[in-house]
Amino acid sequence: QVQLVESGGGLVQAGDSLRLSCQASGRTISSYGMGWFRQAPGKEREFVAAVSWMDERTLYADSVKGRITISRDNAKNTVYLQMRNLKPEDTAVYHCAAQHSGYGTGSINYDYWGQGTQVTVSS
């Protein structure tokens, strides 16, 4: 079992930056692909970014490319999501997820999920 706890969300203004963290426990994440997803009120959960376990390749949703960077620190068992130039449409609950020996954009493939952290961007 892998437990995931997100932190770093908050209320910011458009154009601001935030760094989200996802602290894992229970197992080392070194063999897990890690992803971030978000869900806005009344909308389905959507993929944001992912980083592979093997060579730290990254994937990004088109809507966040150039503004968001995912990274991982296996020694700290932590994954980060650095967000810049935030927009009101980035407002959502951001969830961290772990997929054993894989990574990608499909939420169905992820094995473990955190409870999420709220990001609210005011215009």
Side-chain angles (χ1 to χ4, degrees), residues 11-101:
L11 172 62
V12 298
Q13 294 186 331
D16 285 350
S17 298
L18 273 178
R19 188 177 81 156
L20 307 184
S21 298
C22 173
Q23 178 69 58
S25 61
R27 290 182 182 175
T28 176
I29 62 169
S30 59
S31 61
Y32 288 81
M34 302 298 296
W36 285 94
F37 293 78
R38 66 186 182 186
Q39 188 165 18
K43 295 187 177 181
E44 292 189 355
R45 184 179 296 177
E46 66 172 353
F47 169 76
V48 177
V51 57
S52 74
W53 84 104
M54 186 180 296
D55 52 12
E56 298 194 15
R57 290 187 194 182
T58 56
L59 293 171
Y60 295 97
D62 288 342
S63 60
V64 303
K65 276 182 181 176
R67 299 189 297 117
I68 286 182
T69 302
I70 187 171
S71 62
R72 62 190 299 156
D73 185 338
N74 289 341
K76 295 183 178 180
N77 234 25
T78 302
V79 179
Y80 303 99
L81 192 70
Q82 178 68 52
M83 303 189 292
R84 299 172 295 275
N85 190 23
L86 283 161
K87 304 176 181 181
E89 51 264 43
D90 294 318
T91 295
V93 176
Y94 283 72
H95 297 270
C96 172
Q99 180 181 168
H100 190 261
S101 298

